[in-house]
C-alpha cells in the first residue's frame, strides 16, 4: 500500500479542508448542504410546513453540530437568509391562488395594497419571496415561532456556550 503526500490546501478529509491554519468545510460538503436544503424546501414537495420545518431543523442541527468544529462563520448568516427565503417561497407556492395569497398576507399583517400587488403579481414565488411585503408578513420572528432554528445561532452556541 503506497502512501501519498499532498499539500493540506488540496486535501479534503471527512468534509473538511484546510486553508493555512484554519479548518473549513469542503466544497463537496457545502454542495451537499445546499442540495439537501433544496430538497427539504422544494416547491413541489407536498408536505405540511410543520413537517418541512421539523425535517429542516433536524438536518440543520446535525450538519452544524458536525461541522461546527470549523471556526468558519462567514457564510452562515447568508445560508440562514437563503433558507428563510426558500421557506417564504414555499408559503407562496402553497398559497397558489391570488385570493389566497392576498388573504393570508393580510392575516399576517401586511397592508392591503402591497398584499394585493403580491397576490396579483405574475412573478414566481422565489422572486416574490424577496419582496418587502412578504418579509413583513412572513418575518424572521414568524418563522422562528413556527420552530425554525438558525444555523448561525447553533454555531454560536457551540463556540460560545456561556455567551
Amino acid at each position: 500500500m503506497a502512501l501519498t503526500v499532498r499539500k493540506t490546501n488540496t486535501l479534503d478529509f471527512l468534509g473538511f479542508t484546510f486553508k493555512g491554519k484554519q479548518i473549513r468545510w469542503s466544497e463537496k460538503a457545502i454542495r451537499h448542504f445546499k442540495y439537501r436544503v433544496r430538497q427539504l424546501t422544494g416547491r413541489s414537495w407536498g408536505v405540511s410546513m410543520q413537517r418541512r420545518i421539523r425535517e429542516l431543523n433536524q438536518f440543520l442541527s446535525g450538519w452544524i453540530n458536525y461541522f461546527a468544529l470549523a471556526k468558519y462563520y462567514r457564510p452562515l448568516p447568508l445560508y440562514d437568509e437563503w433558507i428563510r427565503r426558500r421557506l417564504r417561497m414555499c408559503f407562496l407556492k402553497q398559497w397558489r391562488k391570488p385570493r389566497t395569497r392576498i388573504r393570508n398576507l393580510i392575516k399576517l399583517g401586511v397592508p392591503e395594497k402591497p398584499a394585493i400587488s403580491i397576490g396579483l403579481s405574475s412573478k414566481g414565488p422565489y422572486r416574490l419571496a424577496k419582496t418587502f411585503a412578504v418579509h413583513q408578513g412572513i418575518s424572521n420572528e414568524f418563522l422562528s415561532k413556527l420552530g425554525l432554528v438558525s444555523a448561525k445561532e447553533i454555531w454560536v452556541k457551540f463556540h460560545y456556550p456561556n455567551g
Side-chain angles (χ1 to χ4, degrees), residues 95-108:
W95 307 333
R96 290 182 51 218
K97 300 190 181 208
R99 280 188 183 181
T100 310
R101 282 186 184 176
I102 294 167
R103 188 178 334 111
N104 286 331
L105 286 171
I106 290 173
K107 277 184 195 175
L108 292 172

